[in-house]
Structures are given as structure tokens and as C-alpha cells.
Amino acid sequence: MLVHIHSLQLSRGGVRILHDVHLSLAAGEIYGLLGPNGAGKSTTVAAALGLLVPDAGEVCLFERMPVPGDAAIYARLGVLAEQNGFYDWMTAEGYLGFFARLYRRRLATVEVRDRLARVGLGPRPGQRIGTFSRGMRQRLGLARALIADPALLILDEPTNGLDPRGRREIHDVLIELAGRGVGILLCTHLLDDVDRLCHRIGVIVEGRTVAESAIAELVRTTGHMARFRLRLSGGLPEVRPADCRITLLACEGEWCLVELDPSLAPENAWRELMFLGWHVTEICREGGGLEDLYLSVTERRAA
């Protein structure tokens, strides 16, 4: 297990911030850590990194307790913090080379450029980081986090400031890393990122983990399966879908309401229905899914 946190409690300035937080992350897994602003996500990450000392509970990285200065742990770890430490007077190439030397690595110029290209930063000879957009800084921060070819990545809002194409490019990088066995702890408010990238999630509210499991399991057990309204040309066919993961809830005129099990991708459901002769001309999302689950869990806890 790359990360194991159990019954974590932590105070700052005499105020209890974390009351009962738990999560676990295995190699090759992308885990989404979710919660409202001020819920305790960043404090949890700081405790996991050994930067804050818990009052109680268990925190382990690579099956050992992290302590500041533990080179054996930090050499296997990459971090992209929400507040990135950039030196505006440096170039991207110089910045990456500087951090490589901190890891006692010597990267040739072509290696530095390859690593920047991997996160979507093309050659920018002489351009200072101080002129970079927020999205460009996010890409550079991710390249820095990958300097040591880590076994564990901890990323705080890695796609902030990126346009849709940039987000997709970073998604592809993270999926490829997970496929190679890298564990990724992803803190984000972007549920689209979580929906595409994560298999398991944990939701923190007011310093407590209020939900943790595979997304599909949570959506199913809490009754937040995705619902869609389909507009049909020619009425509802007599042939019903054989896949029990597609449930017909209601029909009215040329519209019908269906519910999809989270194990079935919507595009696969539409492909099956059209193969059966359902002439679908319009699809509207009605609700359900990860967003409804998140809102329900956080609102219920707040109430």
C-alpha cells in the first residue's frame, strides 16, 4: 500500500482540523480526494507528507511513517502543491534542471525538453517563468513532480487554469502513469476530472471522511445512478435492451427516461439501443452520477 491513513486527527493552533480521516491508495490507482473548501483536504495531504504531526491515528507512506528529511520516502514521491514554488527569473529548462540536481540527477538538454514536451510545454528558449500563464505553470509543476520518476504522485488541482484540450492532455499523462503502476492521489474540485480518472474516491467534510469506496459502488448503493431523457423518432420500439444495466423508468410521448448502471459507459448504452432499433434523436442528462452523489453527501453532512 502506497498510502494508508486511518483515524487521523490533527489540530493547529489549538483548533481541531481533522477529526477522523481515512484513505488508502495502492500502486497503479488514481484516488480522488474530494470535499468542500476548508474540509481538511490540504491538511490531510500535509500530514501524509510528514509536514504536520497528527494528534492521533495512523499515517503511512510506503508502509512507514513519514518524517521530515526522510530521503528514502521523498526520493520515491512527486508532489504538485496548490501553491507552487516557482522562480520567475528562471526559464522552464533551467528550473527543471535545477530540481533534477536536487534529486542528484543530471539531465541532458534533450531529456529536459522531452520531459517538458510530455506535459505539453514546447521549447521556449529564454522565456522566463514570470511570463507564463497559470496553465503553463501547472504543466511545469507537473513536470517538476515527475523529475524523480516517482512511485507516488500527490497532486493538488493539477488541471487548474488549463483549457479543455490541456486538461485532456494531462488526463492522458496521468492515465499512462497509472498504467505503469504509479499511484496518484488527486485533490480537486473538478468532478469531471474525477469521473474520468479515478476508480476510488474519499469525501471529506468538516475534517471527517464521510464516504470512501469505488465510485460505481457509491453511486449504486446511494441511489444516484445516472438518468437520461431520450427523444425517439417513431415511438418506443417493442425490443427492450437485454443489458440489465439499462433500466427504462418512464415513457411519455416521444420521450423516455432511462437509468444507467455506473458500470456501463453511456456511449456503450446508446450504441446498444441504436443497434436494437431505438431511433434516438436527442439525449439530455437528467441527473444522478458523481455530481449528485457528492452534493448529497456534503449537503447531508453540513445539515
Side-chain angles (χ1 to χ4, degrees):
M1 195 66 66
L2 300 182
V3 182
H4 174 72
I5 296 176
H6 179 68
S7 300
L8 175 61
Q9 300 177 33
L10 191 147
S11 301
R12 300 193 69 180
V15 178
R16 180 63 57 86
I17 305 298
L18 303 181
H19 299 269
D20 181 17
V21 173
H22 53 87
L23 69 87
S24 60
L25 169 64
E29 181 179 20
I30 305 180
Y31 181 105
L33 184 60
L34 308 177
N37 291 331
K41 301 187 298 299
S42 295
T43 303
T44 299
V45 169
L49 293 172
L51 302 177
L52 297 175
V53 179
D55 301 332
E58 184 179 7
V59 178
C60 292
L61 289 185
F62 307 110
E63 302 186 353
R64 58 194 287 181
M65 183 178 297
V67 294
D70 190 337
I73 282 183
Y74 293 128
R76 305 175 62 193
L77 181 65
V79 179
L80 174 62
E82 186 176 11
Q83 301 297 329
N84 289 307
F86 292 115
Y87 306 120
D88 288 351
W89 51 270
M90 282 186 169
T91 64
E93 291 83 359
Y95 181 81
L96 216 57
F98 168 73
F99 272 91
R101 291 192 293 276
L102 294 181
Y103 281 97
R104 298 182 179 179
R105 294 187 172 212
R106 294 285 178 179
L107 298 181
T109 301
V110 66
E111 291 179 281
V112 170
R113 289 176 178 172
D114 285 346
R115 287 174 179 267
L116 291 172
R118 185 182 185 190
V119 297
L121 270 180
R124 298 176 180 275
Q127 184 175 354
R128 307 297 181 183
I129 295 173
T131 67
F132 281 15
S133 68
R134 184 175 184 180
M136 292 166 66
R137 288 173 177 249
Q138 287 294 94
R139 293 174 187 269
L140 180 57
L142 180 57
R144 182 195 63 207
L146 294 172
I147 278 288
D149 299 319
L152 170 64
L153 269 177
I154 297 179
L155 308 176
D156 198 346
E157 304 288 355
T159 60
N160 260 7
L162 298 179
D163 60 25
R165 182 180 297 278
R167 285 178 59 203
R168 178 57 61 93
E169 290 171 354
I170 297 302
H171 289 179
D172 292 344
V173 171
L174 298 182
I175 291 169
E176 186 263 335
L177 288 167
R180 287 169 29 204
V182 177
I184 301 173
L185 178 59
L186 178 67
C187 299
T188 182
H189 290 98
L190 300 175
L191 296 184
D192 285 346
D193 286 6
V194 175
D195 227 355
R196 181 163 191 257
L197 296 172
C198 301
H199 173 63
R200 294 175 60 245
I201 61 170
V203 184
I204 298 177
V205 179
E206 296 177 352
R208 301 179 188 274
T209 299
V210 296
E212 187 195 31
S213 189
I215 295 176
E217 180 181 344
L218 281 173
V219 166
R220 189 181 298 115
T221 57
T222 57
H224 290 95
M225 291 189 288
R227 297 181 303 280
F228 296 86
R229 278 168 46 86
L230 308 181
R231 189 172 192 170
L232 305 177
S233 173
L236 181 67
E238 294 183 2
V239 181
R240 298 293 190 268
D243 194 327
C244 61
R245 295 175 297 177
I246 306 174
T247 303
L248 179 62
L249 298 177
C251 285
E252 183 176 346
E254 58 186 0
W255 290 92
C256 64
L257 181 66
V258 299
E259 186 176 73
L260 303 186
D261 187 271
S263 64
L264 180 63
E267 58 269 24
N268 293 334
W270 314 147
R271 186 179 300 113
E272 176 175 342
L273 292 178
M274 291 178 184
F275 180 77
L276 293 175
W278 289 47
H279 299 293
V280 180
T281 61
E282 190 174 342
I283 301 173
C284 302
R285 180 72 179 258
E286 280 287 294
L290 178 60
E291 182 176 359
D292 277 12
L293 166 67
Y294 174 82
L295 292 175
S296 172
V297 169
T298 54
E299 288 173 359
R300 183 169 66 248
R301 182 67 194 183

